[in-house]
Amino acid sequence: MQGRFLNRYIFCHSATAWLRTYVLWVSVTLWLCGCSQYSTKKLPVAYHNLNARFNAYLIARDRLREVERYQLKTYQENYNQPLPILLPLDSTKLEPVKAQLDDAIKKASLVAERHQNSKWLDNSYLLLGMARLYRQDYGNAMEVFKYVNTKGEGQDEKHEALIGLMRTYIEVGDYTNGLSVAEYLRAQPLNNANTRNYYLTKAYLHQKRQEYAVSAALLDATFPLLKKGETTARLHLIAGQMYDLVKKPEQALEHYRQVLRNRPNYEQSFYATIYSIQGGRTSNERFSRMLNDRKNNDLRDKIYYTMGLLEARNQRYPKAIEYWKKSIRETTTNTSQIPYTYQEMGKVYFENLQDYPTAKAYYDSALALLPQQSADYRALADRKVFLDEFVEQQRIIQVEDSLQRLAQLNPAALDRKLDEAIDLKLKQQQELIAQAQALAAQAANRPATSSDIPAEQRWVLYNPILVTQGRAEFTQKWGNRPLEDNWRRLQKETAAQALAEPAPQTGSLPNGTVPEGNTSGLTTLSESERKAQKDALYAAIPLTPEALRQSNQRLEDAYYRLGKLYKFQFNQPDQAIPTFETLLNRYPNTTVKPEVYYLLMLSNDQLNRPSSWKEKLLAEFPTSSYARQVGKTGSNGTHTASGENEAQRTYTQVYNLYKANNVTEALSRAEASMSALTGSLIEDKMALLRVILIGKVRGVEPYRQALIEFIRDYPASPLLPKVQEMQVAAEQPTAKRK
């Protein structure tokens, strides 16, 4: 009896426990089912707020902060250029933290997928947009920011999304849309954090547009919202740089002082001092203290660079160049300063000393090391193109003049001259071998890679400075040659340089290498070797009429190109004038005479010198396009109504002569009237009639040349298709002139 009672008790207790568990399970299930992410009830909203924040949002935020800390830690500042207000985005440099970015995107996406009714939804979308931005996935980043602005609930979150959208537009270079967003935000009531980020982003936009005054003013408005620290010190440094760029030294100096008051790191304080000195706002006595400070051992190159800038500003160019050379010699492991030093040296040689070959060599060296994303790279590369051409044209003139002088010697004197040139080259080669052996001995006596060895004493292949110099000098002398056998003899002109070019200075290795072969026994040449070298030199000398004609053509082209470089690229009309005059004196029948007359007229006008080149142009080439540019026109540059009527009458008279088969008289009248018709509506019609008359009076070749001139002088004429058809017909052997 007692056992049955115990069993019944156990059964009832178990049933009650099971029932309670079942009820609890049903209650939890019903509660969870009621916690839908689309529900607006308090309990479901609280549940999703809790899960969205701690299971997704905070993790995504922390991952993104890790990425930002990594970017700040690894970013290398280039203090030779204006620093960017916001750190540039580069997904390749963020590859080590790609996993953190991916996790941030994943966690932020969970909120959108599972917690639509959470108050952290907009914040998670903002994190998602920023992560996409760091990944340089600009299209998706824009979509996210636009979605938050359109569908978001909080005004602060909407404003933050628009700031992110503005930053995305800046990164893709769409400054117009970026300014539109900025203009909208300007009228919105932003909180302190958004106001700070808005000012910084808009300042960055104007900095990218090179509107430095506006950018600096926006930074000034930002500083009251910032706390002291390295970030604020960096922004003061940037503000100082931009005020320097807009020629406001007092404001710049104040910001450099503020750098030192905002707990900067050592580099920031050093460069704030350097920029102050560069502006002439700090005593030069500080240089000696900075050079003697052991903390500046790795920055001595920058100090000497600044000293050179001050000397150049005071027009003491030799002293400036001396300091810049010291800057290069003081370079240690960080070579980022070198290309900017080369650039300044090239600038002085180009703009002040007008030594273009030397300027070209330094620009070559600068471009070899300058980062392609540098703001100066494109302008420097463009200037180098013109310098390359300038040096090439000067070389052609030097070589061809020397070869023509050699061609005038009698055979015996020429043979002696060639022997002397070969002996001189052999002597120079021996000197280079001796220098190479001395360098090899130094390298054998000490470890070449030791950082204690000064830069100028390191073995050449371990010294990036000498390697760059050698590459530039090699290119200057030989051009871009492929690595192949007998590369020195690919052109006869190269062999001619043995006679035409001055001997290189001793004391330096052009390319940092020793000659091939047995260097110890290279003291004499066998008869066959000497004969081969002499034959190569003979081949370059214009000893035949055809070779002389080709040499003169190269000289004529070189003088023409050199004069145009002086006039247009270097803006030196005083050098262009004698160059063009030499061209006309040596080659009076040059085909570019009308253009040379015109350029001489412009060059003299630029220097306010009286000249007769305009009259000569109108008298000798009245039908040329250059004569038309200086011909007689109305006061507003076009013919008046009466002038048009007179032009029409003149054309009718010439045309009637042509129809009457009086072609000689018609051609004479047409050429005499071309300058009077300049700017008229029928100028191209008269020019075409003149071309036809030339074909009938002067023959096939003048007719073809006249067609070419018409196409060149009237590229926008509606008669151009007709003239091109005539040109095609003129090339046929049996073509008849119309």
Side-chain angles (χ1 to χ4, degrees):
M1 186 73 180
Q2 190 175 5
R4 286 200 302 268
F5 176 79
L6 181 61
N7 290 337
R8 182 178 300 175
Y9 173 79
I10 294 174
F11 171 79
C12 292
H13 181 75
S14 300
T16 302
W18 178 86
L19 182 61
R20 289 175 179 174
T21 303
Y22 176 77
V23 171
L24 180 62
W25 178 81
V26 170
S27 300
V28 171
T29 303
L30 291 174
W31 180 73
L32 289 176
C33 291
C35 291
S36 169
Q37 63 174 320
Y38 303 105
S39 175
T40 58
K41 295 180 180 180
K42 290 184 178 181
L43 189 60
V45 169
Y47 168 78
H48 286 285
N49 281 340
L50 185 68
N51 279 275
R53 183 183 184 190
F54 292 102
N55 290 340
Y57 170 75
L58 289 180
I59 297 175
R61 186 197 64 182
D62 291 342
R63 294 292 182 268
L64 204 58
R65 287 179 178 177
E66 290 177 24
V67 172
E68 292 170 348
R69 285 194 294 268
Y70 176 84
Q71 182 192 32
L72 186 62
K73 180 180 178 181
T74 58
Y75 181 72
Q76 296 292 325
E77 301 278 18
N78 181 1
Y79 289 96
N80 292 286
Q81 298 289 317
L83 303 181
I85 294 172
L86 301 180
L87 299 186
L89 301 179
D90 188 343
S91 59
T92 59
K93 292 184 178 180
L94 294 179
E95 192 66 25
V97 289
K98 181 177 179 294
Q100 286 89 325
L101 273 176
D102 291 341
D103 195 37
I105 292 172
K106 179 181 178 181
K107 294 298 189 295
S109 300
L110 285 177
V111 179
E113 294 173 3
R114 303 178 183 179
H115 309 290
Q116 283 288 321
N117 57 352
S118 170
K119 68 178 182 180
W120 301 102
L121 180 62
D122 291 345
N123 304 84
S124 298
Y125 270 124
L126 290 171
L127 291 177
L128 178 62
M130 290 305 299
R132 295 289 187 192
L133 184 60
Y134 280 112
R135 288 287 300 272
Q136 293 185 292
D137 184 2
Y138 298 127
N140 284 324
M142 287 182 189
E143 291 299 322
V144 173
F145 291 134
K146 289 177 180 179
Y147 179 83
V148 175
N149 179 55
T150 305
K151 303 293 186 180
E153 296 182 358
Q155 288 300 314
D156 291 341
E157 286 76 13
K158 288 185 175 184
H159 296 157
E160 188 175 348
L162 288 175
I163 295 170
L165 181 62
M166 180 166 56
R167 172 70 187 277
T168 309
Y169 280 133
I170 295 172
E171 295 300 331
V172 300
D174 188 354
Y175 302 136
T176 302
N177 277 327
L179 286 172
S180 298
V181 176
E183 188 64 21
Y184 172 80
L185 282 170
R186 188 171 67 89
Q188 300 301 309
L190 306 179
N191 61 27
N192 286 344
N194 283 338
T195 300
R196 177 197 63 212
N197 294 334
Y198 165 73
Y199 282 148
L200 289 175
T201 307
K202 193 169 188 293
Y204 183 52
L205 189 155
H206 288 288
Q207 185 189 41
K208 296 283 282 187
R209 288 166 57 92
Q210 298 183 358
E211 297 167 350
Y212 299 120
V214 179
S215 182
L218 286 166
L219 283 183
D220 284 338
T222 312
F223 289 122
L225 303 172
L226 301 175
K227 297 180 180 179
K228 287 188 176 183
E230 289 185 13
T231 301
T232 304
R234 179 179 182 273
L235 292 174
H236 276 295
L237 193 65
I238 295 170
Q241 287 180 313
M242 290 191 291
Y243 275 121
D244 267 336
L245 289 171
V246 297
K247 310 299 182 185
K248 292 186 176 180
E250 295 304 322
Q251 290 92 325
L253 178 58
E254 179 57 30
H255 280 289
Y256 294 142
R257 289 171 178 165
Q258 288 296 329
V259 172
L260 304 178
R261 298 169 186 166
N262 279 273
R263 298 198 293 270
N265 60 35
Y266 184 76
E267 276 196 340
Q268 290 169 350
S269 62
F270 173 83
Y271 281 100
T273 304
I274 284 292
Y275 294 151
S276 298
I277 296 174
Q278 287 179 5
R281 297 173 289 254
T282 301
S283 172
N284 290 349
E285 296 178 0
R286 298 192 64 178
F287 280 130
S288 58
R289 296 199 301 269
M290 295 175 72
L291 289 171
N292 293 329
D293 191 339
R294 288 184 298 176
K295 291 186 294 185
N296 295 333
N297 284 346
D298 291 339
L299 298 169
R300 290 169 65 89
D301 55 342
K302 185 67 180 182
I303 298 172
Y304 280 117
Y305 170 78
T306 303
M307 296 170 72
L309 288 179
L310 292 179
E311 295 296 336
R313 187 174 298 142
N314 293 320
Q315 300 182 0
R316 295 189 288 265
Y317 303 119
K319 191 67 175 177
I321 292 171
E322 177 184 343
Y323 279 134
W324 286 329
K325 289 182 178 179
K326 284 185 178 180
S327 172
I328 294 172
R329 289 196 297 269
E330 291 290 339
T331 300
T332 55
T333 56
N334 185 3
T335 61
S336 61
Q337 177 59 47
I338 292 178
Y340 299 97
T341 306
Y342 281 142
Q343 182 181 354
E344 289 297 329
M345 296 174 76
K347 183 179 179 182
V348 165
Y349 277 110
F350 180 85
E351 296 180 358
N352 304 114
L353 303 180
Q354 296 178 4
D355 183 350
Y356 300 120
T358 305
K360 174 190 178 302
Y362 281 114
Y363 280 145
D364 285 341
S365 299
L367 281 174
L369 296 174
L370 195 67
Q372 292 192 12
Q373 63 271 22
S374 169
D376 296 337
Y377 187 88
R378 185 68 268 159
L380 193 61
D382 291 341
R383 175 173 284 188
K384 178 186 173 299
V385 169
F386 300 125
L387 278 172
D388 287 347
E389 184 178 0
F390 179 88
V391 172
E392 175 63 14
Q393 302 311 320
Q394 277 197 330
R395 187 194 66 81
I396 290 173
I397 292 173
Q398 184 183 22
V399 168
E400 297 300 335
D401 278 340
S402 299
L403 293 178
Q404 289 189 17
R405 287 195 297 269
L406 290 173
Q408 296 172 3
L409 297 177
N410 62 63
L414 177 59
D415 194 71
R416 287 196 302 274
K417 192 73 174 177
L418 296 184
D419 281 329
E420 291 173 2
I422 293 172
D423 292 339
L424 180 61
K425 285 290 182 181
L426 182 62
K427 180 181 177 181
Q428 294 169 357
Q429 204 170 22
Q430 292 169 347
E431 291 174 352
L432 290 176
I433 293 171
Q435 295 170 33
Q437 291 173 342
L439 286 175
Q442 292 178 8
N445 292 332
R446 58 170 56 180
T449 58
S450 173
S451 59
D452 296 332
I453 302 175
E456 70 274 11
Q457 297 180 13
R458 299 175 194 163
W459 186 50
V460 63
L461 294 183
Y462 287 152
N463 190 329
I465 305 170
L466 293 182
V467 169
T468 302
Q469 290 176 330
R471 185 186 299 111
E473 292 173 9
F474 179 90
T475 304
Q476 180 182 359
K477 181 175 182 180
W478 300 103
N480 292 322
R481 295 297 182 88
L483 185 60
E484 56 187 341
D485 294 338
N486 299 320
W487 54 266
R488 294 183 182 86
R489 298 182 181 178
L490 291 181
Q491 295 180 357
K492 293 181 179 180
E493 286 184 12
T494 302
Q497 292 175 3
L499 299 170
E501 293 186 348
Q505 297 179 355
T506 60
S508 62
L509 283 171
N511 57 357
T513 58
V514 297
E516 298 177 359
N518 184 5
T519 59
S520 61
L522 188 57
T523 56
T524 59
L525 292 174
S526 66
E527 288 299 324
S528 60
E529 290 172 335
R530 179 175 288 272
K531 183 178 183 303
Q533 291 192 18
K534 189 179 293 187
D535 289 344
L537 297 177
Y538 265 120
I541 301 173
L543 298 173
T544 65
E546 177 59 22
L548 183 60
R549 185 193 67 78
Q550 294 178 3
S551 176
N552 280 322
Q553 185 61 54
R554 288 192 288 270
L555 273 172
E556 180 182 338
D557 292 342
Y559 277 115
Y560 168 70
R561 295 175 182 273
L562 199 61
K564 292 187 73 173
L565 285 170
Y566 275 129
K567 175 67 180 73
F568 295 112
Q569 305 304 332
F570 302 157
N571 192 29
Q572 292 184 346
D574 55 327
Q575 297 292 333
I577 291 172
T579 305
F580 285 134
E581 289 177 343
T582 301
L583 170 62
L584 294 175
N585 291 333
R586 294 189 63 169
Y587 305 101
N589 297 322
T590 177
T591 58
V592 295
K593 184 182 284 188
E595 183 181 1
V596 172
Y597 280 0
Y598 180 70
L599 294 176
L600 281 167
M601 180 198 74
L602 294 180
S603 299
N604 281 280
D605 289 348
Q606 186 176 350
L607 296 172
N608 295 319
R609 295 178 184 173
S611 70
S612 60
W613 295 110
K614 176 180 177 180
E615 291 73 17
K616 291 173 68 69
L617 175 62
L618 294 174
E620 297 182 28
F621 305 98
T623 62
S624 68
S625 61
Y626 304 101
R628 290 199 305 277
Q629 295 183 53
V630 298
K632 299 177 181 178
T633 60
S635 59
N636 61 349
T638 60
H639 275 236
T640 61
S642 59
E644 289 292 346
N645 292 334
E646 181 63 29
Q648 186 64 49
R649 282 195 295 271
T650 302
Y651 176 80
T652 301
Q653 292 171 2
V654 175
Y655 184 76
N656 289 336
L657 289 172
Y658 163 67
K659 294 295 288 184
N661 206 28
N662 192 355
V663 291
T664 303
E665 177 65 18
L667 178 58
S668 177
R669 292 280 296 274
E671 293 186 333
S673 62
M674 280 302 299
S675 60
L677 268 64
T678 301
S680 67
L681 298 176
I682 62 169
E683 180 186 357
D684 56 342
K685 289 180 64 177
M686 179 65 85
L688 179 56
L689 180 56
R690 171 181 170 271
V691 170
I692 295 172
L693 291 168
I694 286 175
K696 289 185 173 294
V697 175
R698 298 176 184 169
V700 176
E701 288 305 321
Y703 174 72
R704 290 173 177 165
Q705 183 61 35
L707 288 170
I708 294 173
E709 292 174 357
F710 184 97
I711 294 172
R712 180 195 65 195
D713 297 341
Y714 301 95
S717 171
L719 300 173
L720 191 61
K722 174 65 175 176
V723 175
Q724 290 171 335
E725 291 178 6
M726 294 166 62
Q727 187 181 37
V728 173
E731 298 300 324
Q732 303 300 322
T734 59
K736 294 182 180 180
R737 307 283 80 80
K738 295 185 179 180

